[in-house]
Amino acid sequence: MLRKLEEEKVFKDPVHHSVFVQEPTIWKLIDTPEFQRLRRIRQLGTSYLTFHGAEHSRFSHSLGVYEITRKIVTQFERNGFEDWPQEERLVSLCAALLHDVGHGPFSHSLEQVFGTDHERWTCDIILGDTEIRRVLREADESLPERIASVIRKNYEKSIVVSLVSSQMDADRMDYLLRDSYFTGVHYGTFDLDRILRVLRPFQGRIVVKESGMHAVEAYLMSRYQMYWQVYFHPVTRSSEIVLRSIFKRARTLHEAGYRFGFLLPPLRKLFDGKLEVRDYLELDEAMAQAAFGQWTHEKDPILSELCRRFLNRKLYKYIPMERLDETWIGEMKEQWRKIGLDPDYHLEVDTPTDLPYDVYKPGSPSGGSEKSPILLLDDHGGLTEISEKSEIIRSIAGLQRGKFHVYYPEEPVRSQAERLSLTIRERLHLQ
Ligand code: CA
């Protein structure tokens, strides 16, 4: 078969300017229904309710991760670096392109409520009865299994895993720049070209030339800023809480035998925990939002009200809480029942530790299950973990503990304020 397309294909891209496709396999993968579905899944879930520009899809992010990987691999090949296994080009490009193909609608919320796992779905889609698998096998029989093992992080050539999944991988580099661009939060930028020039393949992993340390500092600073400005934003957290409550309520109703006015088969199978690849691929954000719209007409007042809140952006109010005060939470729950609210759906204490983001972890030298640390390579072939040399990185490394916030619907609480105890009224500033 053709190793190269007769004519290179180009996608315009606001972050990388252009995305270049040279291999027929990549071109065909982009054209599969499973990959096209990613156009209907937003990269940042509910963040568009906080930052109205954040409508970008997992489709554009996946093309971006592919493009960064293509640039890195091409640079390694051009320089003839011996530690780069040249035969791994196609596996690397396909894994980069497909790494998010198993994401569902509003992925993080969905995973929390239903225990789905996008990484597992990614592998199931690559190995299942899909167009993607057909295209991969056409190039090479062993390709689906090899790509799935890159996704599972147990591929025999660890350097390929390090390219797609490490603390400075193509995935993170693309989403930081892309999320920054589309949210309009400009602290998120860093010098990608410079970073790409200082990456080196070295003994089965990707390391950074020591002279590139400051470019990496800027990259980690951008992670730090994006955390606090975008990923942990309390309004986004509020919208996720409302969304999770919708999923929770719908499943609870379904389990109790409630007859929905509107329930599409893939959602029923999701509630029953009986999704197969075919059903999962039908789930996207267009379908979820159509369901929420229809559910505003449901007889169940909790479900219909939650859906109205989500669609009309009447999110929960939040107040900060210095520490986790169980006594106070217990009292709130009790008083919530008194005024006709359900603490399961109308009260949530949240701390953003569940997000799959962390700024940087120096980790253990052996790596373990943690993502391996960023290593600097000096002129004599010596490696040093980056936070040993950089004061900036030392000070921002590790997951900073987020503040606790209490979320609740403001109007029903405010309108019934006189029925609440004095302490609660004081703490909610209702006096
Ligand atoms: Ca990703």
Side-chain angles (χ1 to χ4, degrees):
M1 67 165 285
L2 270 175
R3 288 282 304 162
K4 293 274 177 209
L5 285 166
E6 279 172 24
E7 196 175 295
E8 183 177 64
K9 307 284 186 184
V10 183
F11 291 83
K12 294 303 287 176
D13 183 81
V15 176
H16 304 302
H17 187 61
S18 299
V19 172
F20 299 96
V21 176
Q22 293 127 350
E23 283 82 1
T25 302
I26 298 296
W27 183 243
K28 288 183 200 163
L29 285 174
I30 294 169
D31 212 24
T32 59
E34 299 89 18
F35 191 79
Q36 291 288 322
R37 164 183 168 273
L38 297 178
R39 291 182 188 270
R40 302 188 296 275
I41 295 181
R42 291 183 188 86
Q43 171 67 12
L44 280 183
T46 64
S47 289
Y48 67 94
L49 292 166
T50 312
F51 300 95
H52 64 258
E55 294 276 355
H56 54 303
S57 67
R58 294 209 180 262
F59 180 89
S60 71
H61 163 65
S62 299
L63 286 184
V65 178
Y66 154 82
E67 177 61 15
I68 292 179
T69 307
R70 189 192 68 80
K71 281 184 176 149
I72 298 172
V73 169
T74 305
Q75 190 244 121
F76 289 172
E77 289 169 351
R78 199 177 295 141
N79 284 299
F81 292 134
E82 280 178 10
D83 283 17
W84 171 250
Q86 304 241 359
E87 67 282 5
E88 299 300 325
R89 179 185 174 89
L90 189 58
V91 172
S92 309
L93 296 183
C94 292
L97 186 72
L98 300 176
H99 80 286
D100 268 352
V101 88
H103 268 290
F106 305 110
S107 241
H108 298 309
S109 308
L110 197 81
E111 293 190 355
Q112 280 176 20
V113 178
F114 298 100
T116 54
D117 172 354
H118 70 266
E119 219 159 85
R120 216 200 71 215
W121 281 112
T122 299
C123 292
D124 288 356
I125 291 166
I126 291 170
L127 301 170
D129 180 14
T130 58
E131 276 294 297
I132 285 182
R133 190 183 67 143
R134 204 184 54 70
V135 170
L136 293 173
R137 283 176 57 109
E138 197 182 280
D140 178 343
E141 290 272 310
S142 70
L143 212 43
E145 191 42 64
R146 283 158 72 202
I147 292 164
S149 69
V150 176
I151 304 289
R152 290 190 212 106
K153 306 181 190 65
N154 58 11
Y155 189 53
E156 50 174 353
K157 304 269 176 67
S158 55
I159 195 162
V160 179
V161 178
S162 152
L163 202 55
V164 186
S165 173
S166 66
Q167 298 207 68
M168 207 170 61
D169 57 24
D171 181 24
R172 292 179 180 212
M173 289 194 256
D174 183 79
Y175 76 61
L176 284 177
L177 293 174
R178 196 167 297 275
D179 296 347
S180 159
Y181 178 91
F182 283 98
T183 53
V185 171
H186 295 294
Y187 329 105
T189 53
F190 56 90
D191 190 347
L192 177 65
D193 287 347
R194 171 82 183 136
I195 289 193
L196 298 185
R197 274 199 307 277
V198 294
L199 294 181
R200 293 287 178 274
F202 188 76
Q203 298 175 351
R205 66 209 307 181
I206 310 272
V207 299
V208 183
K209 235 175 92 178
E210 191 166 8
S211 60
M213 182 175 87
H214 299 296
V216 179
E217 285 177 345
Y219 155 82
L220 290 175
M221 278 306 289
S222 117
R223 284 186 69 75
Y224 176 83
Q225 297 281 9
M226 287 298 282
Y227 257 107
W228 297 108
Q229 296 298 318
V230 177
Y231 305 132
F232 288 173
H233 197 291
V235 173
T236 307
R237 301 295 290 176
S238 178
S239 56
E240 273 165 18
I241 286 166
V242 174
L243 181 66
R244 281 205 302 268
S245 300
I246 294 177
F247 284 137
K248 251 165 54 186
R249 184 63 181 172
R251 186 182 55 186
T252 304
L253 289 171
H254 178 71
E255 282 168 354
Y258 174 88
R259 287 178 65 89
F260 283 84
F262 181 88
L263 187 62
L264 293 168
L267 287 173
R268 175 175 294 124
K269 288 184 188 165
L270 172 69
F271 297 162
D272 286 334
K274 288 185 182 149
L275 278 180
E276 287 175 32
V277 171
R278 198 169 354 118
D279 315 307
Y280 189 77
L281 289 167
E282 282 186 36
L283 290 174
D284 58 35
E285 287 175 11
M287 176 193 276
Q289 276 177 307
F292 301 161
Q294 292 300 306
W295 289 347
T296 61
H297 308 300
E298 288 289 344
K299 305 181 288 299
D300 180 68
I302 294 182
L303 181 63
S304 59
E305 196 244 0
L306 287 167
C307 289
R308 266 194 299 278
R309 282 189 174 276
F310 187 75
L311 292 178
N312 303 332
R313 198 189 176 280
K314 296 285 174 257
L315 305 175
Y316 284 1
K317 186 184 165 61
Y318 58 91
I319 50 164
M321 187 160 71
E322 281 310 311
R323 60 190 178 84
L324 191 59
D325 183 343
E326 299 283 1
T327 322
W328 185 44
I329 296 162
E331 192 185 339
M332 278 182 93
K333 284 186 180 168
E334 207 173 289
Q335 304 245 333
W336 253 225
R337 288 192 197 93
K338 204 168 95 185
I339 60 169
L341 293 176
D342 186 334
D344 282 346
Y345 301 103
H346 300 134
L347 184 66
E348 178 123 355
V349 182
D350 178 71
T351 178
T353 49
D354 57 323
L355 284 180
Y357 303 106
D358 53 79
V359 177
Y360 174 66
K361 287 180 184 160
S364 60
S366 60
S369 62
E370 294 282 329
K371 287 194 170 176
S372 50
I374 299 174
L375 300 176
L376 297 177
L377 176 68
D378 64 32
D379 291 344
H380 316 289
L383 293 175
T384 316
E385 188 279 308
I386 194 164
S387 70
E388 283 181 33
K389 296 217 168 160
S390 162
E391 241 175 274
I392 289 184
I393 294 174
R394 256 201 312 282
S395 64
I396 60 169
L399 180 67
Q400 321 257 331
R401 202 171 170 74
K403 261 202 202 131
F404 289 102
H405 284 98
V406 180
Y407 291 82
Y408 62 93
E410 187 178 15
E411 318 79 64
V413 174
R414 185 171 283 281
S415 68
Q416 305 240 44
E418 75 283 358
R419 296 178 62 198
L420 298 170
S421 71
L422 194 60
T423 11
I424 297 284
R425 270 186 279 165
E426 268 171 4
R427 293 193 82 161
L428 300 182
H429 308 292
L430 289 168
Q431 307 266 74

